[in-house]
Amino acid sequence: MDRSYTKVLVSIQQEDIFMVMTNLEGLAFDPASTPEIYLRFAEKKCGLPTGKAYTTPEALLLVELCGYDCDRPKLTYQLKKKFFKSPEKDETGKAYFWKRENVLDLIRSLESMRAWLPIHGFHCHKMRSDELQKGQDSIANQAAFVAELATRPSRELLSMLVTTLQEGNRKLIALVLHDRLGHLDDHLQRN
């Protein structure tokens, strides 16, 4: 198995932690303020302005950048079980408006459930040895899957992207396609 993908995933997370430690001024460390620190990091990382209401996809992106494992089905479950106060809905009653406090409530709820992404640098120190091993196995499996995807033609990857039902696999397929198309974009810009 090619370990270079694992190293890339881990180094990205280490860069993220360094960015948190160096780019967030004015926050004294207090365990109760940890969700706030994570959220400020995520907002800076993806360029979302603080103080505005987020859409559900934006809220899920912020939560993922904070190192939590939450997709739409898990979010729906948490909202149905009322693990945290639901955000307000828009005038149609279909879409949620996620204020910062709502996202922080979701982060706190996920934290209490230990719903961390595998081997995420923000949470490794909180994991038991079995959770760390499970996370390492998950990262190794993802790296092997990405290495295998890298050998497939782009047409096949596009077909897989459209037909796969597993969100995690879709993200990895999109990562490989983005890597390929990024190289293509660089080549076209030079000519």
Side-chain angles (χ1 to χ4, degrees):
M1 172 179 39
D2 183 4
R3 296 230 178 244
S4 62
Y5 287 107
T6 305
K7 289 178 184 173
V8 167
L9 292 170
V10 171
S11 71
I12 288 170
Q13 291 173 354
Q14 289 171 346
E15 287 175 22
D16 288 348
I17 292 169
F18 180 74
M19 184 178 147
V20 168
M21 302 313 256
T22 57
N23 290 339
L24 294 177
E25 313 85 25
L27 283 178
F29 181 75
D30 168 22
S33 70
T34 302
E36 177 70 27
I37 293 169
Y38 291 164
L39 185 56
R40 283 206 27 213
F41 157 75
E43 289 167 336
K44 280 189 172 204
K45 178 91 173 168
C46 61
L48 291 174
T50 59
K52 80 165 196 85
Y54 301 115
T55 64
T56 299
E58 289 172 336
L60 288 173
L61 173 65
L62 289 169
V63 166
E64 183 179 351
L65 287 172
C66 292
Y68 295 96
D69 184 16
C70 188
D71 54 14
R72 281 197 185 262
K74 291 175 185 172
L75 177 62
T76 301
Y77 176 79
Q78 289 217 353
L79 288 169
K80 280 185 182 178
K81 293 291 185 177
K82 299 184 181 192
F83 288 150
F84 62 96
K85 186 179 176 221
S86 295
E88 296 176 19
K89 290 194 174 188
D90 67 359
E91 60 275 354
T92 66
K94 295 181 182 177
Y96 287 109
F97 281 123
W98 290 84
K99 296 178 184 170
R100 273 185 119 255
E101 195 55 44
N102 300 125
V103 178
L104 287 168
D105 287 345
L106 175 58
I107 288 172
R108 289 183 194 106
S109 175
L110 293 166
E111 180 69 31
S112 71
M113 297 173 65
R114 302 175 68 88
W116 305 310
L117 290 172
I119 313 296
H120 192 279
F122 289 174
H123 308 292
C124 284
H125 66 285
K126 301 179 248 181
M127 293 181 177
R128 299 183 311 262
S129 61
D130 62 316
E131 291 173 321
L132 281 171
Q133 184 59 50
K134 184 179 174 186
Q136 289 171 342
D137 293 345
S138 174
I139 293 290
N141 289 339
Q142 288 177 8
F145 184 59
V146 169
E148 189 264 323
L149 288 173
T151 65
R152 295 184 181 213
S154 296
R155 283 180 164 232
E156 185 178 348
L157 291 175
L158 288 169
S159 175
M160 289 172 67
L161 184 65
V162 172
T163 59
T164 190
L165 298 176
Q166 296 176 326
E167 185 176 347
N169 286 351
R170 266 197 315 271
K171 286 182 180 180
L172 294 174
I173 294 165
L175 175 74
V176 173
L177 281 169
H178 182 269
D179 185 49
R180 282 193 191 162
L181 296 176
H183 289 292
L184 179 63
D185 289 344
D186 292 343
H187 175 71
L188 291 175
Q189 287 176 358
R190 278 185 261 152
N191 292 333

